[in-house]
Amino acid sequence: MGITGVGKSTFISHFSDTAQVGSSLESCTTDVGIHEARIGGQRCFLIDTPGFDDTHRSDTDVLREISDWLNRSYQNNIQLAGIVYLHRITDPRVGGSSLKNLRMFKKLCGSKGLSCVVLATTMWSQIDPDDGQRRERELVSNKDFWGEMVKQGSRVMRQDRDEASAIQIIQYMLQQRHRMVLDIQKEMASGETLDETSAGRELEAELERLRKQHDEEMKELREDMMEAQRANDKRAQEEIAAIRDDLQKKMDQDKQDRERMRVTMEELQKQREAELRAERDRNHALALEHQKAMADNASKLRMMELDTTYKVQVAQLKFNKEKSEAEDERWRAEEAKRKADECCVM
């Protein structure tokens, strides 16, 4: 687990070629992915998850998906051997999305699950070693970052040697022979709705903070609009209206997200199944549309080829005709000259 661009898929790619590795700050992991691998002769399944700063989906979407996968694994008595939480050592400070992601991670696991966690830093090749060591010490010493997690048994390691260090991290986890049940799994299995879980309450607090922020922004926009109307500034009114519409969409989405958090484990499973069916239908429709476009393009290309061939053939016939006519004309001219020469001799 970890934020977008930290190297989650790259880590898994050292063991499985099915992991999709991105080359930008946009998330390339949009769904929970399961990747089979054999490590040290042992069959393993590595789970790749989207971060809570996903570039394409809301935090609610991500929490619903991760929770649903964890609930299903819990129901099937599948327990995790551990979790690798990745962090870029190149980040000068832990804040914003990194801190939010870390808080959500702690709530998902619960204090008892932290002993099965490896906190791994990535991208050591992109930083001065002294700066990296200083940041690593800060992560471990600060209770708001990794301090409390380390006290609860989390292990700090470095993902600094590509495949070699990745293998070392996984082998360490397997050697511990831990089997972990996360807090969110126990909470939802006991009947709590997603918004009542520790992770859900953390996200609810963030949504409430955003609601207050958006309310304040909307109030300021209303005041700006009144001022623009008094000044009869049409351009300013249009710009404010556009900003207000975008903000209203965000507010509506946040409200929907809060409603979608109020689901039990069973309700979440049914909703996720419906969402996946709808997504498959959309993908199928897109695939059919793509096939039709490809067929149309192929047909147009074939018509262009036939048209080109026809034009070439017509041009060749015209050329041959003109050549034949020119040869006939030359033959007639030569014949006329020969006859004229014969007359002169007589």
Side-chain angles (χ1 to χ4, degrees), residues 2 39 44 49 51 83 114 130 151 166 174 217 235 293 314 321:
I39 305 171
C44 303
T49 63
I83 300 178
L114 294 177
D130 291 338
K151 287 182 180 179
L174 295 176
E217 291 173 353
R235 182 174 180 180
V314 169
K321 179 182 178 183

Side-chain angles (χ1 to χ4, degrees), residues 118-135:
V118 168
L119 302 166
T121 47
T122 63
M123 303 188 182
W124 281 87
S125 63
Q126 301 179 24
I127 192 173
D128 178 80
D130 291 338
D131 289 339
Q133 291 174 15
R134 176 179 54 78
R135 292 177 185 177

Side-chain angles (χ1 to χ4, degrees), residues 167-182:
I167 291 174
Q168 184 179 11
I169 290 170
I170 295 297
Q171 287 182 336
Y172 164 78
M173 301 182 77
L174 295 176
Q175 289 165 4
Q176 304 309 302
R177 298 186 178 279
H178 288 310
R179 291 295 180 268
M180 64 189 303
V181 177
L182 307 187

Side-chain angles (χ1 to χ4, degrees), residues 96-108:
S97 60
S98 294
L99 197 55
K100 179 182 68 175
N101 216 306
L102 185 59
R103 287 197 302 264
M104 287 295 297
F105 176 72
K106 292 177 183 178
K107 297 296 184 180
L108 279 169

Side-chain angles (χ1 to χ4, degrees), residues 58-60 206-215 217-218 221 241-260:
S58 69
D59 289 345
T60 298
E206 174 67 14
L207 291 172
E208 178 62 18
R209 184 190 68 79
L210 288 174
R211 186 191 66 78
K212 291 180 179 178
Q213 176 184 320
H214 291 157
D215 283 346
E217 291 173 353
M218 188 63 78
L221 285 171
I243 296 172
R244 184 184 59 197
D245 290 344
D246 288 341
L247 180 59
Q248 187 61 54
K249 289 177 182 178
K250 291 179 182 178
M251 295 174 72
D252 292 342
Q253 182 61 55
D254 290 345
K255 184 177 180 180
Q256 291 176 18
D257 283 346
R258 298 185 79 159
E259 290 297 324
R260 293 168 63 233

